[in-house]
Amino acid sequence: MSMLKYSYSMKVFKCLQICFIYIGSIIGAGFATGREIMLYFGGNGILSGIVAGVAMGVLCGLFLWSAKSFARLRSSRNGFLRVLCVIVKVALWVCTLASFVCMVSGCEEIIEKTYGIANVGLWTGILVSFLGICEMSVTRKLNTVIVPIIVLLLIVLFCQGERVVDTQFDAKSVLGYCGMNIMMGGYIIAEQEESFSAKQTIFISAVSGIIFAICIAMVYTVSIRYADASMPIWEFAKARGMSSLSGLIIYLAIFSTLIGCAKLICQENFSIKIPRIFSVAFLIIFALISLKFDFSTIVNFCYPIIGYVGIVYTCFMLVLPIATRIIIYKSSGRCDCAQSVSVREDSNNSMMHIKRKKVKSKNV
């Protein structure tokens, strides 16, 4: 009985790890500063943010469900399908690298503004470059620690603010937010090597949606009074003598996203036989390049592109399981037809052979 309980607990823990790695890949600089939440939901109500959080949970389940279909597509004998997979992978790789650059730039700017310490973004970029070549289990464990800490720190800030009751709802802002954020989250979920049952997928989807919705609601409540600031959460915390706490939230959120970016880039490089040390050097070079960009400028340029890629990627993964089944069904149908034709040919040949033997025996 105790072994069954232990096995059940381990399954639940693994599911929670997936929830945390998914959320950790999403809550970057824009989320943790409150700027992103105010941009999408500041004038559209807290309800829009909560619905967006739930929708992100649903999309998490979608990507887990579609991951097997994508793996089948990559191993397909159809040349067009394999090329399509390569195009998808390249687009995701480029957008992930853009996210990496944005996060390093944001980390450098935010930490210097909050604590007056220079080059933190660079050293963080170098650290996660080495973490990127570690096993996926390392990324999972780090996010399993970091994400709960972020949630707890947000609760501390949330308790310092006034409650916000706003029943407005705007579907367009929900769709825009999900499209902008799903690329990284969906990509890292789809790359998980483990397979999950339907119950586990529903559990992961539900927990991710609940946690993310709660986090968005807390960030909204904290940020709404400083909606026009570049970092509303930091301004809120500064007014209450808690700027160090907000700086820690922002840094941890950036760090969790950077780990996911580095891991995905190194993983894709390794799949095409690029040595790991070259992947590390590549990321360090881009960490140095990131310091040359202003955070808001590069975000304004990259985020809309990442958003469009995220929408296309989501639509692709949505239709993929059905499309894969149709392709497999047609392929198996062709194989069955070919097999039946060969069987008929074999039977005809054997019958002809028997008839020839009978004619020979009669002649004899």
Side-chain angles (χ1 to χ4, degrees), residues 235-252:
E235 296 294 341
F236 173 91
K238 182 183 177 183
R240 289 155 180 79
M242 303 173 74
S243 56
S244 296
L245 179 65
S246 69
L248 181 59
I249 292 172
I250 293 165
Y251 180 77
L252 289 175

Side-chain angles (χ1 to χ4, degrees), residues 95-214:
C95 288
T96 303
L97 182 61
S99 296
F100 178 85
V101 172
C102 290
M103 290 302 106
V104 172
S105 174
C107 183
E108 180 71 21
E109 188 174 318
I110 291 165
I111 298 303
E112 188 169 3
K113 180 178 179 180
T114 306
Y115 298 105
I117 306 172
N119 298 322
V120 173
L122 174 61
W123 289 111
T124 302
I126 293 171
L127 174 60
V128 298
S129 298
F130 284 98
L131 289 174
I133 61 174
C134 298
E135 297 295 327
M136 182 63 83
S137 59
V138 176
T139 307
R140 285 192 191 183
K141 288 172 183 176
L142 285 170
N143 277 285
T144 302
V145 175
I146 292 171
V147 173
I149 290 174
I150 293 171
V151 175
L152 288 173
L153 294 177
L154 280 174
I155 291 171
V156 172
L157 278 183
F158 174 74
C159 292
Q160 307 299 316
E162 298 177 4
R163 304 297 173 265
V164 177
V165 179
D166 190 344
T167 56
Q168 289 186 75
F169 177 74
D170 180 66
K172 187 178 178 181
S173 65
V174 173
L175 292 173
Y177 183 80
C178 290
M180 195 273 292
N181 281 284
I182 194 56
M183 194 283 296
M184 263 294 294
Y187 186 16
I188 203 164
I189 280 293
E191 291 297 313
Q192 298 305 305
E193 295 175 355
E194 290 184 52
S195 58
F196 296 92
S197 66
K199 286 183 179 179
Q200 288 174 319
T201 301
I202 292 169
F203 176 80
I204 293 168
S205 180
V207 173
S208 298
I210 291 168
I211 293 174
F212 204 56
I214 291 171

Side-chain angles (χ1 to χ4, degrees), residues 323-339:
T324 306
R325 288 186 180 184
I326 292 170
I327 292 165
I328 291 171
Y329 176 77
K330 286 184 176 180
S331 300
S332 62
R334 287 171 188 166
C335 291
D336 290 342
C337 290
Q339 286 174 2

